[in-house]
Amino acid sequence: MPSSAYSRSEHLRSLWPWLPLWTAVALLAIFSHGPMPLYSTRTLAVAWEMWNHGHWLVPHINGEPYSEKVPLLFWLIHAGWFVFGVNDVWPRILEVIFGGTELVLLATLARRLFPNRPWVAKGAPWMLLALAYAFLFGLQIMYEVLLAVWVLAALLCLTPKTDREEPRWLLFGLCIGAGLMTKGPVMFLHIAFPWLLGPLWSSWANTHRVRWYGRGVLAMLLGGAILLAWALPAGFSGGEAYRQRLFFTQTAGRVVDAFDHARPFWWYLPMIPALLFPFSGWPRAWVALGALRRPLEPGIRFGLCWLLPILVAFSLISGKQLYYPLPEFAGAALLLAGAIAVLREKRPALANSAWLGTWPLGVGGLLFAVFLFVLPNLVAHNVMHGEFIDATSQYSRFFSIVFVVLGALLLLRGRGELRRLAIAGLVGTLALNTLFTLTMWQNFDLRPAAQLLGAADAEGRAIGYVGNYEGQFHFEGRITRPIERLNEGESIQAFARAHPNGLIITRPEKLDAADLRYPLLVQPFRSSWVVIWPAASLAAQRAGHTPPEPPHPTRIYQVDAWRYRALQ
């Protein structure tokens, strides 16, 4: 066998333990229920409106240009729709493809940065696939996983190959451009620090600083040119208000005095253990990080140059969300795997100590299994109550068996500790996602309301929404016209006068007798309700009059025992 073919064969064999496992679990999880409001449904609404109205250049939502996002993800969704027709299957498969690609890129990056430690390339993907938050968020039809692919691809272009030390600057610029077309200027932030601090981890960058920074700037300019090639014509096509938001308001409004998701400076720090679970509960991981000593290997220095400055940068940015640093989860897995590889070589006693094993997570898994087993008794004796608690108690004993097995797996000792932890974390996350599907998904499933609204839209009836509408009904209902945003008071009356056969959607926290008698449909959504009224009936009710009796009883969907008690 030729050496190149042998190398490819060895590479494929090294992928086998984790890639098929992750793909199977991800497909099971992402198709266990429908697209999640509001993240996935909003993305699908934008893609649907672009598709339906031919807005290929400017994303639109609810009839208006959508300046929040750039269009690459929508174009990829459209590519599948051209082949398979409009559906929500292809966008979900896309997310699984992105996630698998991220794992492969991480393994390749680890192989480049730790050429003398092959264990890192084997261990880092296991770590990334087991991170519970990253896995669950990867089930959303969102931009961050695709962004993570371009971030890893761009950073891979900076790392040396055995036959070439100089970065692939053209590919670096193209990957930056693809990232910019996925999430906008934040792409620069994700790749800036490994490049700016290149001389600290790359011997080539340290020796050729002028070329490193000069060609790096040219690559950044190439990436920016790719974004501008779309943004300039899109800005002129979308109008003055869209152009202003696209070029100025959106990015600046998140950096200083955020108009959305404003948090204090320290907000990310206490979230780190949750974001890195289950590895935040593995003592050996923390000891490995604490045991690192100078001189640090290039791969370790790369991880630190990537993660520490960006943590500070994200902390300084006013707008914060847990998924904003999603591309850095791969960096955390890389750094942890590298630290453990160093520990295995330099401190074998600590690397093999049973006290630093996965037993805390194993004990935690067994205790959680006990809790799930006794939960029905706690509910029956009124010790615990709540919507999620009551619904979970119906299935909790079945799932307690799963966590007994996982806890026992984590109490085992010997070789393969990382793989056991990763498999336990992945299966445990799948179990919790399945439990959510069985118990709480009905409170997120907007199909009844969306289908009713879609039928009304097809009949030409106007639709209004009291509050801030975020596109949650457009895709599922295949709605083709905007839903008018209303406020309590005169706007409801004006809408009813203009559209006497129209429909109005309200989102009350609690229902009263009128909400169950005169609307067309009532269904739970999150901790509140979706109520769809004939416009004339709601206007009469809000004006203090008795609405006319409806021709059919109100349809009440998916009300579980807890919700039924709330209706009484």
Side-chain angles (χ1 to χ4, degrees), residues 499-514:
H499 310 286
N501 69 335
L503 303 181
I504 297 179
I505 309 154
T506 63
R507 284 284 309 280
E509 295 294 323
K510 296 181 180 180
L511 300 179
D512 57 27

Side-chain angles (χ1 to χ4, degrees), residues 133-450:
Y133 178 83
F135 180 85
L136 291 174
F137 191 83
L139 305 181
Q140 305 298 317
I141 303 171
M142 284 282 283
Y143 318 88
E144 273 67 26
V145 181
L146 178 58
L147 178 64
V149 168
W150 298 124
V151 169
L152 287 173
L155 296 180
L156 189 62
C157 293
L158 293 180
T159 57
K161 298 176 66 174
T162 54
D163 58 346
R164 175 188 170 122
E165 284 193 89
E166 183 174 2
R168 279 71 62 201
W169 297 112
L170 177 60
L171 284 176
F172 183 55
L174 293 175
C175 290
I176 292 173
L180 291 169
M181 290 296 293
T182 299
K183 194 73 190 291
V186 73
M187 175 63 181
F188 286 125
L189 182 61
H190 287 290
I191 54 90
F193 296 110
W195 170 66
L196 288 173
L197 302 177
L200 296 181
W201 61 268
S202 170
S203 59
W204 191 92
N206 191 41
T207 306
H208 305 86
R209 297 192 179 207
V210 173
R211 291 174 67 183
W212 176 271
Y213 290 112
R215 297 188 178 186
V217 168
L218 291 176
M220 297 275 189
L221 292 174
L222 172 61
I226 293 173
L227 179 63
L228 286 175
W230 164 79
L232 290 176
F236 284 103
S237 176
E240 175 62 30
Y242 171 74
R243 186 162 57 249
Q244 181 70 21
R245 293 195 304 270
L246 181 67
F247 285 104
F248 303 106
T249 308
Q250 289 303 321
T251 300
R254 282 178 166 79
V255 174
V256 181
D257 194 19
F259 53 73
D260 202 8
H261 313 307
R263 321 274 189 189
F265 170 82
W266 46 264
W267 187 77
Y268 280 116
L269 289 176
M271 300 296 176
I272 290 176
L275 295 177
L276 295 183
F277 187 84
F279 295 98
S280 55
W282 187 23
R284 202 175 319 279
W286 294 106
V287 169
L289 289 174
L292 290 173
R293 296 291 184 271
R294 299 178 65 183
L296 299 175
E297 297 184 7
I300 299 293
R301 297 200 299 271
F302 174 90
L304 293 174
C305 289
W306 181 8
L307 297 177
L308 294 182
I310 205 166
L311 175 61
V312 175
F314 272 116
S315 297
L316 290 172
I317 293 172
S318 179
K320 298 177 178 67
Q321 285 280 67
L322 291 179
Y323 58 83
Y324 285 174
L326 196 73
E328 279 64 50
F329 285 40
L334 181 73
L335 181 61
L336 279 174
I340 291 173
V342 172
L343 188 75
R344 285 157 59 102
E345 176 188 323
K346 297 187 175 180
R347 302 197 177 187
L350 291 177
N352 297 302
S353 171
W355 292 106
L356 300 179
T358 57
W359 64 267
L361 292 164
V363 171
L366 294 177
L367 292 176
F368 186 58
V370 171
F371 169 74
L372 291 177
F373 189 82
V374 302
L375 184 59
N377 299 93
L378 298 176
V379 172
H381 292 86
N382 294 317
V383 177
M384 297 184 69
H385 270 302
E387 185 176 1
F388 179 68
I389 293 294
D390 286 11
T392 299
S393 65
Q394 303 174 48
Y395 304 93
S396 61
R397 284 183 174 167
F398 298 101
F399 284 86
S400 69
I401 299 172
V402 175
F403 286 95
V404 166
V405 173
L406 296 180
L409 180 66
L410 292 173
L411 290 176
L412 294 176
R413 296 178 56 188
R415 294 174 59 86
E417 181 180 62
L418 173 61
R419 287 192 296 274
R420 288 196 299 274
L421 174 54
I423 291 172
L426 186 63
V427 173
T429 305
L430 175 64
L432 292 176
N433 182 76
T434 305
L435 186 59
F436 167 83
T437 301
L438 292 171
T439 57
M440 294 300 293
W441 168 244
Q442 62 184 4
N443 293 336
F444 292 79
D445 185 3
L446 292 174
R447 283 178 298 177

Side-chain angles (χ1 to χ4, degrees), residues 461-462 493-504 533-539:
R461 301 170 70 180
Q493 305 299 324
F495 182 88
R497 288 192 296 270
H499 310 286
N501 69 335
L503 303 181
I504 297 179
W533 292 76
S537 297
L538 180 63

